[in-house]
Coordinates of all heavy atoms in Angstrom, one line a residue:
M28 N 105.1 118.0 112.3 CA 103.9 117.2 111.9 C 104.4 115.9 111.3 O 105.4 115.9 110.5 CB 103.1 118.0 110.9 CG 101.9 117.2 110.4 SD 100.6 118.1 109.6 CE 101.4 118.9 108.3
A29 N 103.8 114.8 111.7 CA 104.2 113.5 111.2 C 103.8 113.3 109.7 O 102.8 113.8 109.3 CB 103.5 112.4 112.0
E30 N 104.7 112.6 109.0 CA 104.4 112.3 107.6 C 103.3 111.2 107.5 O 103.3 110.3 108.3 CB 105.6 111.8 106.9 CG 106.7 112.9 106.7 CD 107.9 112.4 106.0 OE1 108.2 111.2 105.9 OE2 108.6 113.3 105.4
P31 N 102.5 111.3 106.5 CA 101.4 110.2 106.3 C 102.1 108.9 106.1 O 103.2 108.8 105.6 CB 100.7 110.6 105.0 CG 101.0 112.1 104.8 CD 102.4 112.3 105.4
E32 N 101.4 107.8 106.6 CA 101.9 106.5 106.4 C 102.1 106.1 105.0 O 101.2 106.5 104.1 CB 100.9 105.5 107.1 CG 101.4 104.1 107.0 CD 100.3 103.1 107.6 OE1 99.3 103.6 108.2 OE2 100.6 101.9 107.5
L33 N 103.1 105.4 104.7 CA 103.4 105.0 103.3 C 103.2 103.5 103.1 O 104.1 102.7 103.3 CB 104.8 105.4 102.9 CG 105.1 105.4 101.4 CD1 104.2 106.3 100.6 CD2 106.6 105.8 101.2
S34 N 102.0 103.1 103.0 CA 101.6 101.7 102.8 C 100.5 101.6 101.7 O 99.8 102.6 101.5 CB 101.2 101.1 104.1 OG 99.9 101.6 104.4
A35 N 100.4 100.4 101.1 CA 99.4 100.2 100.1 C 98.0 100.5 100.7 O 97.2 101.2 100.1 CB 99.4 98.8 99.6
E36 N 97.7 100.1 101.9 CA 96.4 100.3 102.6 C 96.2 101.8 102.8 O 95.1 102.2 102.6 CB 96.3 99.5 103.9 CG 95.0 99.6 104.5 CD 93.8 99.1 103.6 OE1 94.0 98.2 102.8 OE2 92.7 99.6 103.8
A37 N 97.2 102.5 103.3 CA 97.0 103.9 103.6 C 96.7 104.7 102.3 O 95.9 105.6 102.3 CB 98.2 104.5 104.3
L38 N 97.4 104.3 101.2 CA 97.2 105.0 100.0 C 95.8 104.7 99.4 O 95.1 105.5 98.9 CB 98.3 104.6 98.9 CG 99.7 105.0 99.3 CD1 100.7 104.5 98.2 CD2 99.9 106.5 99.5
R39 N 95.4 103.4 99.5 CA 94.1 103.0 99.1 C 93.0 103.8 99.8 O 92.1 104.3 99.1 CB 93.9 101.5 99.3 CG 92.6 100.9 98.8 CD 92.5 99.4 99.1 NE 93.6 98.7 98.6 CZ 94.6 98.1 99.3 NH1 94.5 98.2 100.6 NH2 95.5 97.4 98.8
E40 N 93.1 103.9 101.1 CA 92.0 104.6 101.8 C 92.0 106.1 101.5 O 91.0 106.7 101.4 CB 92.2 104.4 103.3 CG 91.9 103.0 103.8 CD 90.5 102.6 103.3 OE1 89.5 103.3 103.5 OE2 90.4 101.5 102.7
R41 N 93.2 106.7 101.3 CA 93.3 108.1 101.0 C 92.7 108.4 99.6 O 91.9 109.3 99.5 CB 94.7 108.6 101.0 CG 94.9 110.0 100.9 CD 96.4 110.4 101.2 NE 96.6 111.8 101.1 CZ 96.5 112.6 102.1 NH1 96.2 112.2 103.3 NH2 96.7 113.9 102.0
L42 N 93.0 107.5 98.6 CA 92.4 107.7 97.3 C 90.9 107.5 97.3 O 90.2 108.3 96.7 CB 93.1 106.8 96.3 CG 94.5 107.1 96.0 CD1 95.2 105.9 95.3 CD2 94.6 108.3 95.1
R43 N 90.5 106.5 98.0 CA 89.0 106.2 98.1 C 88.3 107.4 98.7 O 87.3 107.9 98.2 CB 88.8 104.9 98.9 CG 87.3 104.6 99.0 CD 87.1 103.3 99.7 NE 87.6 102.2 98.9 CZ 88.4 101.2 99.3 NH1 88.8 101.1 100.6 NH2 88.8 100.3 98.5
R44 N 88.8 107.9 99.8 CA 88.2 109.0 100.6 C 88.2 110.3 99.8 O 87.2 111.0 99.6 CB 88.9 109.2 101.9 CG 88.3 110.2 102.8 CD 89.0 110.3 104.2 NE 90.4 110.7 104.0 CZ 91.4 110.0 104.3 NH1 91.2 108.7 104.7 NH2 92.6 110.4 104.1
E45 N 89.4 110.7 99.3 CA 89.6 112.0 98.7 C 88.9 112.1 97.3 O 88.5 113.2 96.9 CB 91.0 112.3 98.6 CG 91.7 112.4 99.9 CD 91.3 113.6 100.8 OE1 91.0 114.7 100.2 OE2 91.3 113.5 102.0
L46 N 88.9 111.0 96.5 CA 88.3 111.1 95.2 C 86.9 110.5 95.1 O 86.3 110.5 94.1 CB 89.2 110.3 94.2 CG 90.6 110.9 93.9 CD1 91.4 109.9 93.0 CD2 90.4 112.2 93.2
G47 N 86.4 110.0 96.2 CA 85.1 109.4 96.2 C 85.1 108.2 95.3 O 84.1 107.9 94.6
A48 N 86.2 107.5 95.2 CA 86.4 106.4 94.3 C 85.5 105.2 94.7 O 85.4 104.8 95.9 CB 87.9 105.9 94.2
E49 N 85.0 104.5 93.7 CA 84.2 103.3 94.0 C 85.0 102.1 94.0 O 84.6 101.0 94.5 CB 83.0 103.2 93.0 CG 83.4 103.0 91.5 CD 82.2 102.9 90.7 OE1 81.3 103.8 90.7 OE2 82.0 101.9 90.0
H50 N 86.2 102.1 93.4 CA 87.1 101.0 93.4 C 88.5 101.5 93.4 O 88.9 102.3 92.6 CB 86.8 100.1 92.2 CG 87.6 98.8 92.2 ND1 87.3 97.7 92.9 CD2 88.8 98.5 91.6 CE1 88.2 96.8 92.7 NE2 89.2 97.3 91.9
V51 N 89.4 101.0 94.3 CA 90.8 101.3 94.3 C 91.6 100.1 94.6 O 91.3 99.3 95.5 CB 91.1 102.4 95.4 CG1 92.6 102.7 95.4 CG2 90.3 103.6 95.2
E52 N 92.6 99.8 93.8 CA 93.6 98.8 94.1 C 94.9 99.4 94.1 O 95.3 100.3 93.3 CB 93.6 97.7 92.9 CG 92.3 97.0 92.7 CD 92.3 96.1 91.5 OE1 93.4 95.8 91.0 OE2 91.2 95.6 91.1
V53 N 95.7 99.0 95.1 CA 97.1 99.5 95.3 C 98.0 98.4 95.5 O 97.7 97.6 96.5 CB 97.2 100.6 96.4 CG1 98.6 101.0 96.6 CG2 96.3 101.7 96.3
E54 N 99.0 98.2 94.7 CA 99.9 97.1 94.8 C 101.3 97.7 95.2 O 101.8 98.6 94.5 CB 100.0 96.3 93.5 CG 101.0 95.2 93.6 CD 101.2 94.5 92.2 OE1 100.5 94.9 91.3 OE2 102.1 93.7 92.1
D55 N 101.9 97.3 96.2 CA 103.2 97.7 96.6 C 104.2 96.9 95.7 O 104.4 95.7 95.9 CB 103.5 97.4 98.1 CG 104.8 98.0 98.6 OD1 105.7 98.2 97.7 OD2 104.9 98.2 99.8
T56 N 104.9 97.6 94.8 CA 105.9 97.0 93.9 C 107.3 97.3 94.3 O 108.2 97.1 93.5 CB 105.6 97.4 92.5 OG1 105.7 98.8 92.4 CG2 104.2 97.0 92.0
T57 N 107.5 97.7 95.6 CA 108.8 98.1 96.0 C 109.8 96.9 95.9 O 111.0 97.2 95.6 CB 108.7 98.5 97.5 OG1 107.8 99.6 97.6 CG2 110.1 98.9 98.1
A58 N 109.4 95.7 96.2 CA 110.3 94.6 96.1 C 111.0 94.4 94.8 O 112.1 93.9 94.7 CB 109.6 93.3 96.5
A59 N 110.4 94.8 93.7 CA 110.9 94.7 92.4 C 111.8 95.9 92.0 O 112.3 96.0 90.9 CB 109.8 94.6 91.4
R60 N 111.9 96.9 92.9 CA 112.6 98.1 92.6 C 113.5 98.5 93.7 O 113.6 97.8 94.7 CB 111.6 99.3 92.3 CG 110.7 99.0 91.1 CD 110.1 100.2 90.5 NE 109.5 100.0 89.2 CZ 108.2 99.9 89.0 NH1 107.3 100.1 90.0 NH2 107.7 99.7 87.8
C61 N 114.2 99.6 93.6 CA 115.2 100.0 94.6 C 114.6 100.9 95.7 O 115.3 101.2 96.7 CB 116.4 100.7 93.9 SG 115.9 102.2 93.0
A62 N 113.4 101.4 95.5 CA 112.8 102.3 96.5 C 111.3 102.2 96.4 O 110.7 101.4 95.6 CB 113.2 103.8 96.2
A63 N 110.6 102.9 97.3 CA 109.1 102.8 97.4 C 108.4 103.0 96.1 O 108.6 104.0 95.5 CB 108.6 103.8 98.4
S64 N 107.7 102.0 95.7 CA 107.0 102.0 94.4 C 105.6 101.3 94.5 O 105.5 100.4 95.2 CB 107.8 101.2 93.4 OG 109.1 101.7 93.2
F65 N 104.7 101.9 93.8 CA 103.3 101.4 93.9 C 102.7 101.4 92.5 O 103.0 102.3 91.7 CB 102.5 102.3 94.8 CG 102.9 102.3 96.3 CD1 103.9 103.2 96.7 CD2 102.5 101.3 97.1 CE1 104.3 103.1 98.0 CE2 102.9 101.2 98.4 CZ 103.8 102.2 98.9
R66 N 101.7 100.5 92.3 CA 100.9 100.5 91.1 C 99.4 100.7 91.6 O 99.0 100.0 92.5 CB 101.0 99.1 90.4 CG 100.1 99.0 89.2 CD 100.4 97.6 88.5 NE 101.7 97.5 88.1 CZ 102.5 96.4 88.4 NH1 102.1 95.5 89.2 NH2 103.8 96.4 88.0
V67 N 98.7 101.7 91.0 CA 97.4 101.9 91.5 C 96.4 101.8 90.3 O 96.7 102.2 89.2 CB 97.2 103.3 92.2 CG1 98.1 103.4 93.4 CG2 97.5 104.4 91.2
L68 N 95.2 101.4 90.7 CA 94.0 101.4 89.8 C 93.0 102.1 90.6 O 92.6 101.7 91.7 CB 93.6 100.0 89.5 CG 92.2 99.9 88.8 CD1 92.1 100.5 87.5 CD2 91.7 98.4 88.7
V69 N 92.5 103.2 90.0 CA 91.4 104.0 90.6 C 90.3 104.2 89.7 O 90.4 104.6 88.5 CB 92.0 105.4 91.0 CG1 90.9 106.2 91.8 CG2 93.3 105.3 91.8
V70 N 89.1 103.8 90.2 CA 87.8 104.0 89.4 C 87.0 105.0 90.1 O 86.6 104.8 91.3 CB 87.1 102.7 89.3 CG1 85.8 102.9 88.6 CG2 87.9 101.6 88.7
A71 N 86.8 106.2 89.5 CA 86.1 107.3 90.1 C 85.3 108.1 89.1 O 85.7 108.4 88.0 CB 87.1 108.2 90.9
A72 N 84.1 108.5 89.6 CA 83.3 109.4 88.7 C 83.9 110.7 88.5 O 83.7 111.4 87.5 CB 81.9 109.6 89.4
A73 N 84.8 111.1 89.4 CA 85.6 112.4 89.3 C 86.4 112.4 88.0 O 86.8 113.5 87.6 CB 86.5 112.6 90.5
F74 N 86.6 111.3 87.4 CA 87.4 111.2 86.1 C 86.6 111.5 84.9 O 87.2 111.6 83.8 CB 88.2 109.9 86.0 CG 89.1 109.6 87.1 CD1 89.3 108.3 87.6 CD2 89.9 110.6 87.7 CE1 90.2 108.0 88.6 CE2 90.8 110.3 88.7 CZ 91.0 109.0 89.1
R75 N 85.3 111.5 85.0 CA 84.4 111.7 83.8 C 84.8 113.0 83.2 O 84.9 114.1 83.8 CB 83.0 111.7 84.2 CG 82.5 110.3 84.6 CD 80.9 110.4 84.8 NE 80.5 109.0 85.2 CZ 79.9 108.8 86.3 NH1 79.6 109.7 87.2 NH2 79.5 107.6 86.6
G76 N 84.9 113.0 81.8 CA 85.2 114.2 81.1 C 86.6 114.7 81.2 O 86.9 115.8 80.7
K77 N 87.5 114.0 81.8 CA 88.9 114.4 82.0 C 89.8 113.5 81.2 O 89.6 112.3 81.1 CB 89.3 114.3 83.4 CG 88.6 115.4 84.3 CD 89.0 115.4 85.7 CE 88.4 116.5 86.5 NZ 87.0 116.8 86.3
G78 N 90.8 114.1 80.6 CA 91.8 113.3 79.9 C 92.8 112.6 80.8 O 92.7 112.8 82.1
L79 N 93.6 111.7 80.3 CA 94.5 111.0 81.1 C 95.4 111.8 82.0 O 95.6 111.6 83.2 CB 95.4 110.1 80.2 CG 96.4 109.1 80.9 CD1 95.6 108.1 81.7 CD2 97.3 108.5 79.9
L80 N 96.0 112.9 81.4 CA 96.9 113.7 82.2 C 96.1 114.4 83.4 O 96.6 114.5 84.5 CB 97.5 114.8 81.3 CG 98.5 115.7 82.0 CD1 99.7 114.9 82.6 CD2 99.1 116.7 81.0
Q81 N 94.9 114.8 83.1 CA 94.1 115.5 84.2 C 93.8 114.5 85.3 O 93.8 114.8 86.5 CB 92.8 116.0 83.6 CG 93.0 117.3 82.7 CD 91.7 117.6 82.0 OE1 91.1 116.8 81.4 NE2 91.3 118.9 82.2
R82 N 93.5 113.2 84.9 CA 93.2 112.2 85.9 C 94.4 111.9 86.8 O 94.3 111.8 88.0 CB 92.8 110.9 85.2 CG 91.4 111.0 84.4 CD 91.2 109.7 83.7 NE 89.9 109.9 82.9 CZ 89.3 108.8 82.4 NH1 89.8 107.6 82.5 NH2 88.2 109.0 81.7
H83 N 95.6 111.8 86.1 CA 96.8 111.5 86.9 C 97.1 112.7 87.8 O 97.6 112.5 88.9 CB 97.9 111.2 85.9 CG 97.8 109.8 85.3 ND1 98.9 109.2 84.8 CD2 96.7 109.0 85.2 CE1 98.5 108.0 84.3 NE2 97.2 107.9 84.6
R84 N 96.9 113.9 87.3 CA 97.1 115.0 88.2 C 96.2 115.0 89.4 O 96.6 115.4 90.5 CB 96.9 116.3 87.4 CG 98.0 116.7 86.5 CD 97.8 118.0 85.8 NE 99.0 118.3 84.9 CZ 98.9 119.0 83.8 NH1 97.8 119.6 83.4 NH2 100.0 119.3 83.1
L85 N 95.0 114.6 89.3 CA 94.1 114.5 90.4 C 94.6 113.5 91.4 O 94.6 113.8 92.6 CB 92.7 114.0 90.0 CG 91.7 115.1 89.4 CD1 90.5 114.4 88.9 CD2 91.4 116.1 90.4
V86 N 95.1 112.3 91.0 CA 95.7 111.3 91.8 C 96.9 111.9 92.5 O 97.1 111.8 93.7 CB 96.0 110.0 91.1 CG1 96.8 109.1 91.9 CG2 94.7 109.4 90.6
N87 N 97.8 112.6 91.8 CA 99.0 113.2 92.3 C 98.7 114.2 93.4 O 99.4 114.3 94.4 CB 99.8 113.8 91.2 CG 100.5 112.7 90.3 OD1 100.5 111.6 90.6 ND2 101.0 113.2 89.2
E88 N 97.6 115.0 93.2 CA 97.2 116.0 94.2 C 96.8 115.3 95.5 O 97.1 115.8 96.5 CB 96.1 116.9 93.6 CG 96.5 117.8 92.5 CD 95.3 118.5 91.8 OE1 94.2 118.4 92.3 OE2 95.6 119.2 90.8
V89 N 96.0 114.3 95.4 CA 95.6 113.5 96.5 C 96.7 113.0 97.3 O 96.8 113.0 98.5 CB 94.6 112.4 96.2 CG1 94.3 111.5 97.3 CG2 93.3 113.0 95.7
L90 N 97.7 112.5 96.6 CA 98.9 111.9 97.2 C 100.1 112.8 97.3 O 101.2 112.3 97.5 CB 99.3 110.6 96.4 CG 98.2 109.5 96.3 CD1 98.7 108.3 95.5 CD2 97.7 109.1 97.7
A91 N 99.9 114.1 97.3 CA 101.0 115.0 97.3 C 101.9 114.9 98.5 O 103.1 115.0 98.4 CB 100.4 116.5 97.2
A92 N 101.3 114.6 99.6 CA 102.1 114.5 100.9 C 103.0 113.2 100.8 O 104.1 113.2 101.4 CB 101.2 114.4 102.1
E93 N 102.6 112.2 100.1 CA 103.4 111.0 100.0 C 104.3 110.9 98.8 O 105.3 110.2 98.8 CB 102.4 109.8 99.9 CG 101.6 109.5 101.1 CD 100.3 110.3 101.1 OE1 100.1 111.2 100.2 OE2 99.4 110.0 102.0
L94 N 104.1 111.7 97.8 CA 104.9 111.6 96.5 C 106.4 111.9 96.7 O 107.2 111.3 96.0 CB 104.3 112.5 95.4 CG 103.1 112.0 94.8 CD1 102.6 113.0 93.7 CD2 103.2 110.7 94.1
G95 N 106.7 112.7 97.6 CA 108.1 112.9 97.9 C 108.9 111.7 98.4 O 110.1 111.6 98.2
R96 N 108.2 110.7 98.9 CA 108.8 109.5 99.4 C 108.5 108.3 98.4 O 109.0 107.2 98.7 CB 108.3 109.2 100.8 CG 108.7 110.3 101.8 CD 108.2 110.0 103.2 NE 106.7 110.1 103.2 CZ 105.9 109.3 103.9 NH1 106.5 108.3 104.7 NH2 104.6 109.4 103.9
I97 N 107.8 108.5 97.3 CA 107.5 107.4 96.4 C 108.4 107.6 95.2 O 108.5 108.6 94.5 CB 106.0 107.5 96.0 CG1 105.2 107.2 97.2 CG2 105.8 106.4 94.8 CD1 103.7 107.3 96.9
H98 N 109.2 106.5 94.9 CA 110.1 106.5 93.8 C 109.4 106.4 92.4 O 109.7 107.0 91.4 CB 111.1 105.4 93.9 CG 112.0 105.2 92.8 ND1 113.0 106.1 92.5 CD2 112.1 104.3 91.8 CE1 113.7 105.7 91.4 NE2 113.1 104.6 91.0
A99 N 108.4 105.5 92.4 CA 107.6 105.2 91.2 C 106.1 105.0 91.5 O 105.8 104.3 92.5 CB 108.2 104.0 90.5
L100 N 105.3 105.6 90.7 CA 103.8 105.5 90.9 C 103.2 105.2 89.5 O 103.1 106.1 88.7 CB 103.2 106.7 91.6 CG 101.7 106.7 91.8 CD1 101.4 105.6 92.8 CD2 101.2 108.0 92.3
E101 N 102.8 104.0 89.3 CA 102.2 103.6 88.0 C 100.7 103.7 88.2 O 100.1 103.1 89.2 CB 102.6 102.2 87.7 CG 102.0 101.7 86.4 CD 102.3 100.2 86.2 OE1 103.4 99.8 86.6 OE2 101.5 99.5 85.5
Q102 N 100.0 104.5 87.4 CA 98.6 104.8 87.5 C 97.8 104.2 86.4 O 98.2 104.3 85.2 CB 98.4 106.3 87.6 CG 99.0 107.0 88.7 CD 98.6 108.5 88.8 OE1 97.5 108.8 88.5 NE2 99.6 109.3 89.1
R103 N 96.6 103.7 86.8 CA 95.6 103.4 85.8 C 94.3 104.0 86.4 O 93.9 103.7 87.5 CB 95.4 101.9 85.7 CG 94.4 101.5 84.6 CD 94.8 100.1 84.1 NE 93.9 99.8 83.0 CZ 92.9 98.9 83.0 NH1 92.8 98.2 84.1 NH2 92.1 98.8 82.0
T104 N 93.7 104.9 85.6 CA 92.6 105.7 86.1 C 91.4 105.5 85.1 O 91.5 105.8 83.9 CB 92.9 107.2 86.2 OG1 93.5 107.6 85.0 CG2 93.9 107.4 87.3
L105 N 90.3 105.1 85.7 CA 89.1 104.8 84.9 C 87.8 105.4 85.4 O 87.7 105.6 86.7 CB 88.9 103.3 84.8 CG 90.0 102.4 84.2 CD1 89.7 100.9 84.4 CD2 90.2 102.7 82.8
T106 N 86.9 105.7 84.6 CA 85.6 106.1 85.0 C 84.8 104.8 85.4 O 85.2 103.7 84.9 CB 84.8 106.9 83.9 OG1 84.6 106.0 82.8 CG2 85.5 108.1 83.5
P107 N 83.7 104.9 86.1 CA 82.9 103.7 86.4 C 82.4 103.0 85.1 O 82.4 101.8 85.1 CB 81.7 104.3 87.2 CG 82.3 105.5 87.9 CD 83.2 106.1 86.9
E108 N 82.1 103.8 84.1 CA 81.6 103.2 82.8 C 82.8 102.4 82.1 O 82.5 101.3 81.6 CB 81.1 104.3 81.9 CG 79.9 105.1 82.4 CD 80.2 106.1 83.5 OE1 81.3 106.5 83.7 OE2 79.2 106.5 84.2
Q109 N 84.0 103.0 82.2 CA 85.1 102.3 81.6 C 85.4 101.0 82.3 O 85.6 99.9 81.7 CB 86.3 103.1 81.6 CG 86.3 104.3 80.6 CD 87.4 105.3 80.8 OE1 87.8 105.6 81.9 NE2 88.0 105.7 79.7
W110 N 85.3 101.0 83.7 CA 85.5 99.9 84.5 C 84.5 98.8 84.2 O 84.8 97.6 84.1 CB 85.5 100.3 86.0 CG 85.7 99.3 87.0 CD1 84.8 98.9 88.0 CD2 86.8 98.4 87.2 NE1 85.3 98.0 88.8 CE2 86.5 97.6 88.4 CE3 88.0 98.3 86.6 CZ2 87.4 96.7 88.8 CZ3 88.9 97.4 87.1 CH2 88.6 96.6 88.2
A111 N 83.2 99.2 84.1 CA 82.1 98.2 83.8 C 82.3 97.6 82.5 O 82.1 96.4 82.3 CB 80.8 98.9 83.9
A112 N 82.7 98.4 81.5 CA 82.9 97.9 80.1 C 84.1 96.8 80.1 O 84.1 96.0 79.2 CB 83.3 99.0 79.2
E113 N 85.0 97.0 81.0 CA 86.1 96.0 81.1 C 85.7 94.8 82.0 O 86.6 93.9 82.2 CB 87.4 96.7 81.7 CG 88.0 97.7 80.7 CD 89.3 98.2 81.3 OE1 89.8 97.7 82.3 OE2 89.8 99.1 80.6
G114 N 84.5 94.8 82.5 CA 84.1 93.7 83.3 C 84.4 93.8 84.8 O 84.4 92.8 85.5
G115 N 84.8 95.0 85.2 CA 85.1 95.3 86.6 C 83.9 95.1 87.5 O 82.8 95.3 87.1
Q116 N 84.2 94.7 88.7 CA 83.1 94.4 89.6 C 83.0 95.4 90.7 O 83.7 95.5 91.6 CB 83.3 93.0 90.2 CG 83.4 91.9 89.2 CD 82.1 91.5 88.6 OE1 81.1 91.5 89.3 NE2 82.1 91.0 87.4

C-alpha cells in the first residue's frame, strides 16, 4: 500500500476532513531543519473540553500514517471560541 502524500496541502486536507476542523493552517518548515518538519494550527469543535495533551493526541491520531516520516510537528490547537477571541477569521 502506498504511503500518504507528505505535503502541507495533504496534511491540511486530512486534518480538515478527519477532525471536521473549521480552520487549518499547515506550514512546511523543512527548509529550516534537517528533515520533514511542519507547523500546524488547527481550529476544531472536537477540541472543546479537552486539554492540550488530548488535543495533540487527536492530531497525532489523524496523522498517524505520516508521523513516521515527520521529524518535527509543532502544533497549535484551538476551539472555535478561542480562535474567535484571538481575532481569527
Side-chain angles (χ1 to χ4, degrees):
M28 180 165 56
E30 292 183 336
E32 182 183 353
L33 192 59
S34 70
E36 183 60 32
L38 297 179
R39 182 180 305 109
E40 287 309 311
R41 188 171 181 91
L42 289 165
R43 182 175 291 133
R44 182 179 64 247
E45 299 290 328
L46 291 174
E49 64 179 57
H50 183 83
V51 179
E52 296 176 17
V53 179
E54 179 185 357
D55 185 340
T56 58
T57 302
R60 299 201 167 106
C61 61
S64 304
F65 296 91
R66 177 179 300 128
V67 300
L68 165 65
V69 183
V70 179
F74 298 145
R75 288 186 183 120
K77 292 181 174 42
L79 183 64
L80 184 58
Q81 290 173 306
R82 293 175 184 194
H83 286 199
R84 283 182 177 154
L85 281 174
V86 170
N87 290 346
E88 288 170 11
V89 168
L90 300 180
E93 293 88 351
L94 283 179
R96 296 180 293 142
I97 295 176
H98 174 72
L100 180 65
E101 181 182 333
Q102 298 183 38
R103 186 151 184 252
T104 52
L105 302 172
T106 64
E108 295 79 14
Q109 290 170 318
W110 178 241
E113 290 187 7
Q116 304 281 332

